[in-house]
Amino acid sequence: MPLVNFETLPNEARAWVFAAAAPVTGAAAVALLAMVDDHLRAWRAHGAPLVCAREWRDDRFLVVAVDEAATGASGCSIDALFHALRAIEGQVGSSLVASGQLYWRDASGLVQVSDRPSFRAFAAAGRVAGDTSVFDTTITSVGAWRAGFERKAADSWHARFLVAS
């Protein structure tokens, strides 16, 4: 029983954030989470089950975490997670492991995605600003996920793309 409830993981647990390029909803989301849960139930490092959990939010963001105080994830086990997610992508119709994209909430509350040059252009055009909510997909711990996965752009590394006033 290595798969646990996400809320039970300590803040120090190691985390990986995966962001869907397009929203994953309805039956596709149910299938995604079922496949992820199947992988996590069987996830092992050097034969030892990993105490792990996942959380899904905003139809876009999957965080997978491991309590390394119980059993540490190995390079091979992490590679297996990425391989499993790549295999799932085709079944849910959205990439999950692509990198380099920025995610934020627009004025209507919808999650948007773009590359860095486009985000900078949106800032120059006033479509994103310091008070825009952004998502930090670079976080590496459950504590960071809880404390600041979504925050104002001015308070995140995204601020470097904003237009100085």
Side-chain angles (χ1 to χ4, degrees), residues 91-116:
Q91 297 177 51
V92 299
S94 184
S95 65
L96 295 165
V97 294
S99 60
Q101 300 296 303
L102 300 179
Y103 294 81
W104 75 96
R105 282 195 197 281
D106 66 17
S108 67
L110 295 175
V111 176
Q112 301 295 325
V113 60
S114 72
D115 59 20
R116 291 168 191 236

Side-chain angles (χ1 to χ4, degrees), residues 28 30-40 84 87-88 91-92:
V30 171
L32 165 70
L33 297 176
M35 290 182 274
V36 168
D37 288 349
D38 286 347
H39 179 79
L40 296 181
I88 292 169
Q91 297 177 51
V92 299

Side-chain angles (χ1 to χ4, degrees), residues 7-151:
E7 289 77 30
T8 66
L9 290 176
N11 284 337
E12 299 76 30
R14 188 172 178 188
W16 297 267
V17 176
F18 302 95
V24 180
T25 62
V30 171
L32 165 70
L33 297 176
M35 290 182 274
V36 168
D37 288 349
D38 286 347
H39 179 79
L40 296 181
R41 281 188 200 95
W43 201 18
R44 294 190 170 18
H46 304 292
L50 294 172
V51 176
C52 58
R54 59 95 179 142
E55 189 167 271
W56 177 247
R57 70 177 272 194
D58 294 302
D59 298 327
R60 293 255 193 181
F61 304 107
L62 173 70
V63 61
V64 174
V66 173
D67 182 357
E68 291 196 302
T71 305
S74 66
C76 291
S77 66
I78 296 165
D79 287 347
L81 173 65
F82 278 75
H83 180 75
L85 291 174
R86 280 190 192 99
I88 292 169
E89 287 178 336
Q91 297 177 51
V92 299
S94 184
S95 65
L96 295 165
V97 294
S99 60
Q101 300 296 303
L102 300 179
Y103 294 81
W104 75 96
R105 282 195 197 281
D106 66 17
S108 67
L110 295 175
V111 176
Q112 301 295 325
V113 60
S114 72
D115 59 20
R116 291 168 191 236
S118 296
F119 187 84
R120 184 174 282 135
F122 294 146
R127 286 185 55 195
V128 295
D131 64 347
T132 301
S133 287
V134 296
F135 300 92
D136 186 355
T137 59
T138 68
I139 62 102
T140 59
S141 72
V142 169
W145 170 264
R146 290 173 178 149
F149 171 64
E150 182 175 359
R151 63 177 58 194

